[in-house]
Amino acid sequence: MSESKGEELRRAFENAGLAGDQEADAAEETIQILSFSLAAEWYGFRLRDLIEIIGGVHPTPIPFTPAFIPGVINHRGSVVSVVDLRNVFGLPGRGSGGAGRIVLVTSDDAIVGFQADEISDIVTVPISTVEPPLSTMEKVKASYIEGCIRLPRGLLVLLDSSTLIGELRMRGEG
């Protein structure tokens, strides 16, 4: 009888271990995204690429920069370029409203700030819900997008920070 109790305990521990492994696998299959609005559309960056969110700061204009760079900011002693994604994506201008927010994102050795109208929240979604960009999009702009996610509030466009920063660097040099 004691052997059967011991066997039951062993199985219970094994099952608990398997359940823990399944939970770990489930955690690996989700991604966390900082979502923000831009011209009434929803965008996001993976949380792993986020450095900081800064509010109430206007970029300092710099002569001879591309039109999509309204200026630079000082971030802890470093000069960081700020990108106006409205300009990059061909969205309507913001007008003369407040300063909005700047989302600082990293990719490799670069830190870049991206202007946002409003920070929404952090969402956790299964990676399986990330759909590829539409095939009808311009190839260059589609390369900036890791995928699209359907949420109750609408479509969230997940931006690929590495590709976006790399492509904008090349555009700025050309």
Side-chain angles (χ1 to χ4, degrees):
M1 188 102 150
S2 65
E3 286 180 345
S4 68
K5 281 243 186 224
E7 187 67 24
E8 286 178 49
L9 285 174
R10 185 183 63 74
R11 283 191 191 132
F13 281 116
E14 284 176 357
N15 290 338
L18 290 174
D21 289 345
Q22 290 171 350
E23 288 174 7
D25 289 346
E28 291 173 16
E29 294 176 357
T30 62
I31 55 173
Q32 290 186 305
I33 301 167
L34 171 77
S35 65
F36 59 93
S37 66
L38 193 61
E41 295 178 1
W42 294 103
Y43 294 89
F45 286 110
R46 284 184 181 241
L47 201 57
R48 69 172 186 216
D49 299 332
L50 178 70
I51 299 290
E52 191 172 338
I53 300 167
I54 301 173
V57 175
H58 292 278
T60 302
I62 301 292
F64 310 112
T65 57
F68 60 85
I69 298 180
V72 297
I73 59 170
N74 178 349
H75 178 255
R76 301 181 186 181
S78 296
V79 176
V80 175
S81 296
V82 176
V83 173
D84 179 0
L85 286 174
R86 290 172 179 270
N87 186 294
V88 174
F89 295 147
L91 300 172
R94 184 161 195 251
S96 59
R101 302 279 185 260
I102 298 175
V103 179
L104 295 180
V105 176
T106 185
S107 171
D108 298 326
D109 61 343
I111 296 176
V112 175
F114 294 95
Q115 290 180 323
D117 294 343
E118 180 183 317
I119 303 300
S120 177
D121 57 0
I122 295 172
V123 294
T124 302
V125 297
I127 199 146
S128 61
T129 63
V130 179
E131 300 175 20
L134 297 172
S135 60
T136 55
M137 295 182 77
E138 292 178 43
K139 194 171 193 108
V140 171
K141 291 180 183 173
S143 71
Y144 301 156
I145 299 171
E146 187 174 337
C148 299
I149 302 152
R150 296 172 201 258
L151 296 174
R153 68 172 174 235
L155 191 67
L156 174 73
V157 178
L158 178 59
L159 299 172
D160 183 331
S161 62
S162 180
T163 302
L164 184 57
I165 291 171
E167 291 284 331
L168 293 176
R169 272 183 166 173
M170 288 182 6
R171 279 179 60 180
E173 293 171 1

